[in-house]
Amino acid sequence: MPTNPYSALLRTPGAARFSAAAALARAPMAMVGIGIVLMVQMLTGSFAAAGRVSAVFMVAQAVSAPIIARRVDRLG
C-alpha cells in the first residue's frame, strides 16, 4: 500500500500545527460567500439576486487581493 504524501508532510516538525492554524484562519474567508447568499436571499427572497451579489463580491475580492498583497509586502 503506497504511503500518503500528506501524512509524510504533516510528520515534519511543526507542519501539523501550522496547517491547522492556516485552515482555521481561512474558514471565515470561505464562509463569506455562503453568508452573502443566505443574507441576500432572506432579505430579497431571490436566490438569483443572492448569487449575483455573491459573484460581484468574489470578483471584487479577486481583483483587490493582489493589490492589497503588494501593499502589505511593501509596507509590512
Side-chain angles (χ1 to χ4, degrees):
M1 175 159 38
T3 4
N4 185 346
Y6 289 110
S7 65
L9 178 67
L10 292 175
R11 279 194 298 264
T12 303
R17 285 197 309 213
F18 178 80
S19 298
L24 185 63
R26 289 174 187 244
M29 291 184 281
M31 297 302 294
V32 169
I34 295 169
I36 289 172
V37 168
L38 292 174
M39 182 183 73
V40 174
Q41 191 279 329
M42 183 182 69
L43 293 173
T44 66
S46 169
F47 278 106
R52 284 191 296 272
V53 171
S54 182
V56 167
F57 175 78
M58 293 300 167
V59 169
Q61 187 177 22
V63 169
S64 65
I67 298 166
I68 293 169
R70 267 186 250 127
R71 187 169 283 178
V72 167
D73 284 345
R74 193 175 317 124
L75 302 175

